[in-house]
Amino acid sequence: MQKLQDLAGQTEITPSSGIETVRHGWRAKCLQRLIRMELPVPKTVALPVEAVRAIAAGTPPDTRKLAGHFGPTPLMAVRSSPANPDWGGPNTVLNVGMNGERHAELAASHGAAHADAVYLAFVQSYAINVARLDPDMFSDEPSPTALAAALAAYEAEMDEEFPQSAAQQLSEVLRSMARAWEGTTARLLRQAKGAPADAALGLLVQEMVQMVGPGLAGFGTIQLVDAVTGAPQVTGRFRGQKPADRKAEETLYLVRDKRGASLEETRPEIFADLQRQCAAARAKLREEMQIEFALENGALKIIDAVKVARSSRAAVRIAVGLARDGIISREEALLRVQPRALSELLHYQVDPRVERDRLARGIAASPGAASGRIVFTAADAQTAASQGEACILVRRETAPEDIRGMHAAVAVLTERGGITSHAAVIARGLGLPCIVGASDLKLNLRDKTIVTPDGRTLREGDKITVDGTSGEVLAGEAAMLEPALDEYFTTLLHWADNVRDIGVRANADTPDDARTARMFEAEGIGLCRTEHMFFDEDRLTVMREMIFADTAKDRKVALDRLLPMQRADFIALFDIMAGLPVCIRLFDPPLHEFLPQDREGMRELAEALDKPLSDVTRRVEALSEFNPMLGMRGVRLGVTVPEIYEMQARAIFEATVEARRRGAEVVPEVMIPLVSAMREVELVKNRIDAVAAAVRNELKCDFDFKLGVMVETPRAALRAGDIAEHAAFLSFGTNDLTQMTYGLSRDDAGRFMSTYVNQGVFAEDPFHVLDADGVGELLLIGCERARGARADLTLSVCGEHGGNPESIAFCRKAGVDYVSCSPFRVPVARLAAAHLALTEPKSL
Ligand code: PEP
Ligand code: MG
């Protein structure tokens, strides 16, 4: 026998060969464990990652020697073996080595039909996966002439005969698999699953088992859990091969089935054996395994064992189950679930009780439902997302360059494509609701419209709902049901809470948000953006009266009307949060955001306020700014129009007293936005302290509160030492801090962000993943100076980065006490924080 160690590092897997997961991949290691368990695994040779890299770069191994290791007329399967099974990998190619000679041998021993079927399957899989020919060239129906037709089609398309040399076939298969791994789509998909940029692939060449013979023969898979729910259930399939000595194909189901005989009933001893082996593999490999097996003349062969492919929901249940059975530790269970995968469990579903206004139907390609405005290009999706607008990306079909737009969208809808189309595969990978193949919609990309089968025309910006669970496109914003979160999800996150060393709060502006935050067990509200409370119809008018007031007295009249509304808002939040901390940010946006932008709106406003139109237009013009995001907003308003903050502070304190009367120990946190100088804080603090004293006095009730500052201008980060002297806490608003550090508008960056990322100017969109080098340095300086001035200060991050695992890692090392993110990202943040506590030291 050849010594395989001589073949450029290739290694036959035996109980004692040096197989390492990092070098040979997870599947190779797994097969070695099965071999060590003395399971009947066919001969397998592992090609290490360096050999596969060399193949991709154009240096193939000596495939003549390699194929020769499997006999003079070898038949081989080639399988991928990445270091982590979650990273995907090219599909297995079976029956490499099949050629005319082998076909004749097989026809003589097992009949022409069997030989034809094996050869045809190989020609098709080789043509599609290796030669990259169009799958439509081949008919799906097996027929006596199909093999000859497939060989002829191959020859016509490639201008050469179907390769007959096993070594040549093997060489080409290895090359195409090595190259597929390097492709952009494969790379982005695995990176979304946490693979490093330089993740490598190992490959395995395995002897094919001949699943034919006089006794029971066939091929199947078995697993002990349901792949969607993770619940215990033996599932799998079995395909009997036509025995050489019998006419009919033996159809056997794996488990008892109404439709016909099963392996479970007819061969209970084999079935029991399989179950035993599956359970043993679970215990030994410490993972829920799907075993791929073959029966050859009634004898069992274990060809492969792979981690059971699973939905995110099943992943959680399986991890919790393994830990409860003592097979893995709780910590390991936590590490088995990718934080990002949790977001898939949190999907909204369209409420089945409401009537559906269906626009079209397509293929349900990725579950969950989402509503948003229609956009037709990936760039527009990114622009919409950067403005905080939920959008649905509608394309004829998607291509790899759309992936960042898909990231930015809340759902994807395509006119073409099937369940394995680019859009479908990527959307599932990203956990985005997706419908593909909605072919009864007529897309007109030039004038950006969609015509529905019943003749309605939808335009860019119109709201629709994509129900990726049912495949229905609905008009408008459908009522949604919140996701059901099961016991396993809750258990896993409680385990996460026990190990993590950084807090997680939610950004919540409304009672609904607050309830979601509670449902996801956020430790409080880290940011309540109060301005959102003023956009209701009735409040907007009063707000506008306040803005239009000519004197402080008139302004007070309007603010006095807003006060009870604000107080009610805060009472509601305090009630829902039941004593958990609530951090309320004082008014932040420029006032002009509350004014109408067009003439018609101004006319209506003039009418409502009983003022001449010219007054309204003059005031709107006076408030308009060249650069509103850097203008009169945040604390600058607090200093120049102090009555607004005073009203808000009073509403907060009166609500506190009310909540305390109802029995909740509320200590509100009041936060000042957009600070850049210590004096701003001093001025606002004095006024707020005075309001607190007045409320205590008027209501004869004592209460505490905390005053804090948002660090979202670079100067505030640099001067965090002085600012900390007047603050009980600092919260980094990394959205504005990123905007101002880069001098890059949050609302406009989407237009060119993809170009910047594609050309490597930025490694990632810095509004999505915290820029550790620049913004991160300011954050570090801010933390250090603030803590230097006041060691007991609470530090947090409340920008969008608070829900991003990489950014959480940075914040934690910077010494931040908690992160705060949108409610739906809270579970992801809790698990990500637990991963960090388990895998990374806390300080920089
Ligand atoms: C921030 O700037 O990071 C922040 C949280 O505030 P907003 O997004 O409301 O500007
Ligand atoms: Mg901000």
Side-chain angles (χ1 to χ4, degrees), residues 519-539:
M519 179 169 77
F520 294 140
E521 301 186 58
E523 290 163 89
I525 294 179
L527 171 65
C528 170
R529 295 171 162 109
T530 48
E531 55 273 12
H532 293 172
M533 297 168 168
F534 297 111
F535 281 105
D536 283 354
E537 192 93 38
D538 52 337
R539 298 178 181 202

Side-chain angles (χ1 to χ4, degrees), residues 527 529 585 710 712 733-736 746 798-799:
L527 171 65
R529 295 171 162 109
R585 177 178 77 184
M710 270 187 96
E712 46 185 351
T734 47
N735 303 333
D736 271 308
R746 288 159 73 164
C798 63

Side-chain angles (χ1 to χ4, degrees), residues 362-363 365 374-378 392-402 406 411-419 421-424 434-451:
I363 298 165
I374 296 172
V375 294
F376 290 96
T377 67
I392 292 184
L393 180 61
V394 183
R395 306 281 292 151
R396 229 180 263 299
E397 58 203 335
T398 61
E401 56 270 25
D402 289 322
M406 295 179 73
V412 177
L413 168 64
T414 68
E415 186 192 44
R416 298 183 186 153
I419 197 78
S421 63
H422 180 264
C434 175
I435 296 176
V436 296
S439 52
D440 49 5
L441 289 176
K442 285 197 179 51
L443 251 71
N444 187 333
L445 293 174
R446 200 152 356 108
D447 60 13
K448 299 197 167 175
T449 58
I450 307 172
V451 180

Side-chain angles (χ1 to χ4, degrees), residues 315-368:
V316 171
R317 180 157 182 178
I318 288 170
V320 170
L322 287 167
R324 282 184 174 159
D325 290 347
I327 294 173
I328 60 174
S329 64
R330 288 181 176 184
E331 287 74 18
E332 189 156 359
L334 288 167
L335 294 172
R336 293 275 177 102
V337 180
Q338 279 307 309
R340 281 191 181 85
L342 287 187
S343 55
E344 238 178 274
L345 275 71
L346 317 176
H347 279 312
Y348 273 96
Q349 303 291 341
V350 174
D351 188 337
R353 291 165 298 192
V354 301
E355 208 153 280
R356 292 171 164 236
D357 182 3
R358 196 169 80 210
L359 296 170
R361 195 187 265 287
I363 298 165
S366 178

Side-chain angles (χ1 to χ4, degrees), residues 770-806:
L770 187 82
D771 157 48
D773 301 337
V775 182
E777 184 166 7
L778 277 173
L779 196 138
L780 289 175
I781 292 172
C783 288
E784 200 182 301
R785 293 186 182 171
R787 278 267 158 77
R790 203 168 155 174
D792 64 342
L793 195 78
T794 301
L795 295 174
S796 61
V797 167
C798 63
E800 268 314 296
H801 303 97
N804 170 262
E806 290 100 303

Side-chain angles (χ1 to χ4, degrees), residues 597-610:
Q597 303 302 319
D598 59 6
R599 213 168 161 75
E600 181 54 23
M602 289 194 218
R603 208 186 45 73
E604 279 171 19
L605 182 58
E607 222 167 74
L609 298 177
D610 196 20

